[in-house]
Amino acid sequence: MLSCKEVSHRASDYLDQPPRGWQGLRLRMHLLICGHCRRFRQQLLLSRDSAARLARKLWSEDHDAAERIFREIEDKPAQRPPDQ
């Protein structure tokens, strides 16, 4: 069976191309047992779907607004979480 670390490292790849055969069975078994990885996978799906919906909405309604938003995002420095 896969470990949580293996699942998290490959999670994005698994969403794009679900594994087949033995690797797919190992993933399904792990997700069946591990609630943390199931939640992590659900969050990835939600993030991917939300970003896709936002992108479609921006590009379909107002190209100028989309360009402004993307430029604003690119110009902002990445914020690091405070040290704990």
Side-chain angles (χ1 to χ4, degrees):
M1 183 169 31
L2 297 172
S3 69
C4 293
K5 188 174 184 177
E6 290 172 309
V7 171
S8 67
H9 281 288
R10 298 180 187 160
S12 182
D13 295 335
Y14 290 156
L15 292 181
D16 295 335
Q17 178 104 22
R20 295 177 182 218
W22 182 243
Q23 191 69 7
L25 178 62
R26 292 173 63 199
L27 175 64
R28 286 191 303 276
M29 285 175 52
H30 182 89
L31 292 175
L32 185 67
I33 294 168
C34 183
H36 296 292
C37 288
R38 277 195 309 274
R39 274 193 300 277
F40 180 67
R41 181 178 177 274
Q42 286 302 109
Q43 289 299 315
L44 283 178
L45 286 168
L46 179 65
S47 296
R48 181 189 68 180
D49 294 345
S50 297
R53 277 196 309 275
L54 176 61
R56 278 193 301 273
K57 183 174 175 60
L58 288 173
W59 286 111
S60 67
E61 291 179 0
D62 185 356
H63 292 285
D64 292 333
E67 286 296 326
R68 282 194 311 276
I69 291 169
F70 288 133
R71 262 188 262 117
E72 187 177 317
I73 291 170
E74 288 175 348
D75 292 343
K76 282 187 178 181
Q79 295 181 356
R80 294 175 48 182
D83 292 334
Q84 294 181 357

